[in-house]
Structure formats: C-alpha cells, structure tokens
Amino acid sequence: MTHDATMITVHQTARPEGFPTPAHFAFVEAPVPDPAPGTALVENLLWSVDPYHREAMDGDFLWTLNSPMEGRTLGRVLDSRTPALSPGDLVMHRKGWRTHSVVAPDEVRAVPDFDGVPLAAHLSVLGGTGLSAYVGLTRIARLQRGEDLFVSAAAGGVGTAAGRFARLLGAGRLVGSAGSARKVAYLTEEVGFDAAFDYHDGPVTELLAKVAPTGVDAVLDGVGGDHLEAAIAALREHGRIAWVGAVAQYHSLSTPPPAPRNLFDLVEKSIRLEGFLVSNHADAHEELYAFAVPHLRSGRLPLDVTVVDGFEHIVDAFLGMLRGENTGKMLVARSS
C-alpha cells in the first residue's frame, strides 16, 4: 500500500539545563512509511506525556538527540505485513511522539475490548499511570483496609489514580499534597481525599502534620526531597513508603535537593522505604484490569484526565504537565 500522507515526528535537539523549553524540540516531517515485512503501520490516536520524560531528556538511556522520542501511545493499525496484526486493530506501544509508527508484533500490546470503558482509560488508570498507583499501594506499601495514607503530588496522574484506588481498597484517612489551591480543592471535592494542602504554603512537614495530626500508616511518594522527609516524620511505627518518583530533582540533577534529614527515623520507627519501577511489575496488569474495569463501568472510578487536542501541541502539553497545569493524567489526542 502506498501512503501519500505526511508523518510528523518530534525530536529532542538539545539537553536542557533547568526547565526545558520548546527550543529543545523539533517537529520533523517525512512521508508516511510503508511497513516492512513482519511489521505494521500504526496511526497514533492518543499520546501520554509523563514526568519520567523530563528525566529522559538528560541522557541517552531513553532519548537520543535528533532521533524519534519514546512514549506510551495508543493507535490503530492502518497497514500490516504480519499475520499477527490486522488493519483496524487497536494497540498500545511505546513508539510515541510521532503521528505514525512502524511496529513489530512484540512491540505492541492489544487494547482490551472493555465495553463502556473509554480509550483514555488505557493511558491513565488502566495504563502505566494506573499500574504505578496500583502496584505502589498493593505490592509495595501493602495498604490495608482502614489504614491512613499520604499521597504526594496527589493531583497528577499517579496521584489521582492512587486516591481513587485507595478509596476503593477501603483506606482510612486519605491526605495529599498538590501545587495550587485549585488542585487542593479538586482532591477534596472530586477525588475523595479527606484533606490536602498546597506545598507552597510552608514547610511540608508542618503542612502534613496539620492535615494528619495523628500520623499515617502508608505513603505513596512521587516527589522526594522535603516531601519524603515529611512522610518519614508523619509515619507511625512500622509504616511503609512506596517511592515512585522524584519530581523535586528532575530540573536540577546537578544539584538535587538535600536528602531527608530524618532518615534515621526509618530505624527508630521500623519504617520500610522501597523504590520501584513499574516496568518490573508488568505481571500485575491483569490484576489491575480485574480490579479497575468493574469500577470504571459502574462509575465508581471516574477518569481524572486533562486532554490537549492536536498532536501539534504535544510539546506544549508536556511542558504544561511539568508546570503542573493538568489535573489527573495529561494526554494528547489526535485532532478530530
């Protein structure tokens, strides 16, 4: 099959020092390729921009300068030269940040056909974002019914998913941090948090102590730095911390924030701190589906997503996410 349309791919052109800008990216046009034998051509429909992409900008482990970038994407097969994929199939893959991708069967995962579940769910609560929250709560922090939980960066994709999941898992008091009064209100009025605070309003340890005066049993932390220090201070004996990210140092890798000054409290209070990569827990995906899909269908699990329309705005969406402009998961949708 011959394609006469244009493919647009985003390249990173320079390593940022501090906060990235649109000047660190370029939109590169080329003809839409024909798939080689054993591959398929996918038209991408929905893109995920994630906090870890900022870390990826600083080295070659994910993104090489002046070459196509990586990212979670959902698309539809247009043309195939492999019996494993057929035109019309919906697939998830990691060859994102481009309008079209050529993929091999082992590079994609079929999008499950869940009646009544919107496609955006597969890149939010059912995707890597939701899996991070689910694994963090159930496998790492081992949250039990009735236990109190603190979630940092709670208004983002992982944070809102964690809040929704914790409620469904029977958590006790649920408290979170966010970056604005608007987000604090969103957490308490929409997501189901009992209390939340704007971390700009003072020392995080003091702010957390005010909303959780008797402490918490478990923590899902995606920030590090002062938030991790506050979490350690607030935890009761035998508390657990699931550490999933370090937003506090993404823009200052040369001078990261100081380590928590109260690390020895891990010993004194018998606290367990465990970091994890969601990529090591792919086997939990079916478990996540079994847990979340019935609640998505019933309406007990609403989607927390901010959707930017148009692939041409993907860099703006990414930078906006880093500035905290989104509530829930930041996604980019192909213009309709």
Side-chain angles (χ1 to χ4, degrees):
M1 182 184 297
T2 300
H3 306 280
D4 55 8
T6 298
M7 173 178 70
I8 303 173
T9 303
V10 182
H11 292 190
Q12 182 186 340
T13 57
R15 302 285 180 210
E17 293 184 10
F19 203 92
T21 71
H24 292 104
F25 302 88
F27 286 80
V28 179
E29 295 189 3
V32 173
D34 291 316
T39 69
L41 174 68
V42 174
E43 178 183 44
N44 296 320
L45 305 174
L46 202 60
W47 297 264
S48 174
V49 291
D50 297 291
Y52 81 87
H53 288 157
R54 173 60 189 89
E55 192 176 10
M57 294 187 73
D58 292 313
D60 286 333
F61 69 100
L62 271 184
W63 291 353
T64 302
L65 292 183
N66 302 304
S67 62
M69 291 158 54
E70 179 268 3
R72 298 185 181 108
T73 306
L74 186 152
R76 180 178 287 108
V77 175
L78 284 183
D79 188 9
S80 177
R81 296 191 65 187
T82 168
L85 295 168
S86 300
D89 287 352
L90 286 172
V91 296
M92 303 260 292
H93 62 88
R94 299 188 74 97
K95 292 187 173 182
W97 291 74
R98 63 201 88 179
T99 56
H100 301 76
S101 304
V102 175
V103 299
D106 63 357
E107 294 176 323
V108 304
R109 186 162 53 86
V111 175
D113 184 13
F114 297 135
D115 287 340
V117 174
L119 288 181
H122 294 284
L123 284 179
S124 53
V125 293
L126 296 182
T129 299
L131 193 62
S132 295
Y134 183 80
V135 166
L137 294 180
T138 63
R139 292 189 172 187
I140 312 300
R142 300 175 191 170
L143 183 70
Q144 303 299 306
R145 183 171 292 276
E147 287 189 325
D148 300 329
L149 174 72
F150 168 57
V151 181
S152 67
V158 173
T160 49
R164 301 282 189 189
F165 292 170
R167 273 285 165 258
L168 295 170
L169 290 165
R173 184 168 174 80
L174 183 58
V175 298
S177 68
S180 69
R182 176 180 67 89
K183 290 186 175 183
V184 166
Y186 184 81
L187 291 174
T188 56
E189 295 170 12
E190 300 292 334
V191 184
F193 280 75
D194 294 291
F197 60 87
D198 181 345
Y199 59 79
H200 297 107
D201 287 346
V204 178
T205 297
E206 295 178 12
L207 296 169
L208 179 54
K210 287 180 182 177
V211 298
T214 63
V216 296
D217 301 293
V219 173
L220 184 69
D221 181 34
V223 179
D226 56 355
H227 278 70
L228 184 56
E229 181 172 297
I232 293 170
L235 276 166
R236 300 170 183 143
E237 285 194 358
H238 303 289
R240 292 90 60 203
I241 304 171
W243 197 9
V244 70
V247 172
Q249 68 184 60
Y250 282 168
H251 306 302
S252 57
L253 293 180
S254 58
T255 55
R261 295 164 293 181
N262 55 352
L263 273 178
F264 191 72
D265 286 0
L266 297 176
V267 177
E268 291 192 334
K269 294 196 282 186
S270 299
I271 292 168
R272 182 167 56 81
L273 166 62
E274 183 176 347
F276 71 100
L277 292 173
V278 71
S279 56
N280 294 330
H281 295 271
D283 63 308
H285 233 128
E286 292 301 321
E287 190 180 323
L288 171 63
Y289 289 158
F291 169 75
V293 169
H295 295 306
L296 282 165
R297 286 174 168 156
S298 72
R300 292 190 68 203
L301 179 56
L303 289 188
D304 299 287
V305 294
T306 298
V307 181
V308 173
D309 189 51
F311 178 79
E312 66 273 19
H313 300 302
I314 191 168
V315 170
D316 296 331
F318 171 58
L319 300 179
M321 179 272 302
L322 293 178
R323 286 191 291 266
E325 295 173 2
N326 56 301
T327 51
K329 184 76 190 71
M330 180 71 97
L331 299 175
V332 178
R334 191 179 192 92
S335 297
S336 52

